[in-house]
Amino acid sequence: MSTLHIDHVSRWFGNVVAVNDITMSIGPGVTGLLGPNGAGKSTLINMMGGFLDPSTGKVTLDGEPVWRNESVYRSIGVVPEREAMYDFLTGREFVVANAELQGLGAAEAQRALATVEMEYAQDRKIATYSKGMRQRVKMASALVHEPSVLLLDEPFNGMDPRQRMQLMELLRRMGAEGRTVLFSSHILEEVEQLASHIEVIVAGRHAASGDFRRIRRLMTDRPHRYLVRSSDDRELAAALIADPSTAGIEVDAVDGGLRIQAVDFGRFTELLPKVARERGIRLLTVSPSDESLESVFSYLVAA
Amino acid sequence: MYDPTVARLTYRALLGRRRAAILFLLPGLLLIIAAAVRAINGADDQVAADLLGGFALATMVPLIGVIAGTGAIGPEIDDGSIVYLLSKPVKRPTIIITKLIVAIAVTMAFSAVPTLIAGFILNGNGQQVAVAYTVAALVASIAYSALFLLLGTISRHAVVIGLVYALVWEALFGSLIAGARTLSVQQWALALAEKVTGEGLISSDVALPTATVLLVVVTLGATWFAGHKLRTLTLAGEE
């Protein structure tokens, strides 16, 4: 059982602050590191893995610093996001090399390949692998020494649904075995399906922390904004504002259309088509204007 | 201080890439020229010395040193695959020293060995010319490998910088400015070659003791610094 401690860690590159004063502990079980692209997830994972020194603060694994300390890799397994991985080797050669670098041998490599179900393609060159196959061989290389901590940067990127399910199952199993598994993702559903605990990072800051129900509630209970265009904007506006699910409506005189702020998401989505049908108003555009993950996250930061 | 797995990966990366073709091309060219010169001119010690000095030591050895030295580590750092070496309980200096040994072995195999063969083709090792230039190539292989391995560790433009050093600094400035010759691996290696043949055929601008000290200092210094840089190498994310 191992715990990673991130203690008031910041990291900047020149004038850009990538990670801003983050403190968290990652313990046994599966933890999801959630955040939009560019939020600083990779920077944080690189610091947890000892590949980047924090500008301030420190990262320790059970009290041992991870930066400039090669011995921590006996207990850490790393699955990097980047694709590059000795393409001129076969999958088996690659995993065997990783095993040897851990002081192990072909038997352990073979077991790791079996764990990720890559034995069928182990003698093909990595250059011929699909993205999902590469991901699984990377997993095998990280699992070969049965690490107590597993760090994965965007492990589901480029995987098809079946491969995704398999990897989730594998990570769930590793978490249940008492290993500390941390993976990053910018997709809420991925994190929700897998992680018992979620850490949310937005714009380099630690935005939220907790189990997925709490995070989910934070995300769905926020006010939703919509841009609606219809055959009769003003009549529609009058009908909608009469209902408590709508908190405010603005008529956009320049671009045309209504900017609606809904406070009860579920009720509003039922109300809008009903009102339009009853009054014979044609809906031309209904688009959520802040559904991008970034805005969801920035809402979380403010919360 | 030597890790066989790191060595195996490095050999395969070096010899498996397309640029490895140059490793075979240059020595092949040297042997063809040597055979042609011998066939047309007959055995001539001065011609042998000129060809081995002008082409083998001045051009081929540094070029192969650039390919082997930078290629032993540069591409891995560029594409990020070095993370698979760095995320292991292997000391960083061990990684550098292993890669240096591989780079030296490859440079020696592809430059010193063909130099010896070419020397024997040219004049049957008359006046020890073949052996002298082989010794010079062996010594230069060590220094070039260490220098270019360091370059590969600290710069993404290692190949370009290496080529500029080898071709512009050593060849061009070396022939124009006497001072540049003192800071030239080629001249240091020539000092040893001069010792082997005796006076006359081969001459270096650097005295042997100075050359020896500089070779040792540059090789050890570059290796130490590369190990130090690798310990603090940061792998930034893609964001």
Side-chain angles (χ1 to χ4, degrees), chain B residues 137-153:
Chain B
L138 288 172
V139 169
S141 294
I142 298 174
Y144 282 131
S145 297
L147 266 181
F148 296 136
L149 186 72
L150 170 63
L151 263 183
T153 310

Side-chain angles (χ1 to χ4, degrees), chain B residues 40-206:
Chain B
I40 296 164
N41 243 7
D44 182 323
D45 294 347
Q46 189 60 53
V47 172
D50 289 347
L51 183 62
L52 293 183
F55 181 68
L57 189 63
T59 312
M60 188 180 79
V61 181
L63 282 180
I64 287 175
V66 169
I67 293 164
T70 61
I73 199 164
E76 270 169 285
I77 293 181
D78 278 355
D79 70 16
S81 57
I82 189 107
V83 69
Y84 295 101
L85 299 186
L86 300 184
S87 61
K88 300 295 183 299
V90 177
K91 294 255 172 264
R92 307 282 162 96
T94 300
I95 296 176
I96 286 294
I97 288 170
T98 304
K99 285 181 173 290
L100 175 64
I101 291 170
V102 172
I104 290 172
V106 168
T107 311
M108 283 179 171
F110 285 91
S111 69
V113 174
T115 301
L116 184 67
I117 298 171
F120 272 93
I121 293 174
L122 282 164
N123 72 339
N125 193 28
Q127 291 199 57
Q128 297 283 317
V129 168
V131 171
Y133 275 107
T134 304
V135 168
L138 288 172
V139 169
S141 294
I142 298 174
Y144 282 131
S145 297
L147 266 181
F148 296 136
L149 186 72
L150 170 63
L151 263 183
T153 310
I154 60 179
S155 172
R156 282 176 171 260
H157 310 292
V159 174
V160 176
I161 301 173
L163 288 177
V164 168
Y165 171 80
L167 299 178
V168 179
W169 177 264
E170 293 228 338
L172 189 65
F173 284 112
S175 62
L176 298 175
I177 308 158
R181 286 198 283 268
T182 315
L183 294 178
S184 150
V185 173
Q186 187 192 332
Q187 292 295 328
W188 306 339
L190 275 175
L192 268 107
E194 189 180 356
K195 181 78 183 165
V196 175
T197 56
E199 286 294 306
L201 277 177
I202 303 172
S203 73
S204 168
D205 292 331
V206 186

Side-chain angles (χ1 to χ4, degrees), chain A residues 231-260:
Chain A
S231 54
D232 189 342
D233 284 346
R234 283 182 190 275
E235 191 183 344
L236 184 64
L240 288 173
I241 198 71
D243 189 275
S245 67
T246 306
I249 299 179
E250 183 192 338
V251 180
D252 191 327
V254 184
D255 295 329
L258 301 172
R259 298 194 179 276
I260 303 172

Side-chain angles (χ1 to χ4, degrees), chain B residues 19-37:
Chain B
R19 62 167 90 152
I22 305 177
L23 291 177
F24 291 92
L25 203 74
L26 285 170
L29 195 62
L30 175 68
L31 295 181
I32 291 168
I33 295 172
V37 167

Side-chain angles (χ1 to χ4, degrees), chain A residues 108-128:
Chain A
E108 287 86 356
Q110 206 55 53
R111 200 187 48 226
L113 281 161
T115 306
V116 299
E117 295 173 32
M118 273 299 287
E119 287 160 304
Y120 75 99
Q122 64 186 12
D123 293 318
R124 272 169 52 190
K125 284 249 168 26
I126 292 175
T128 68

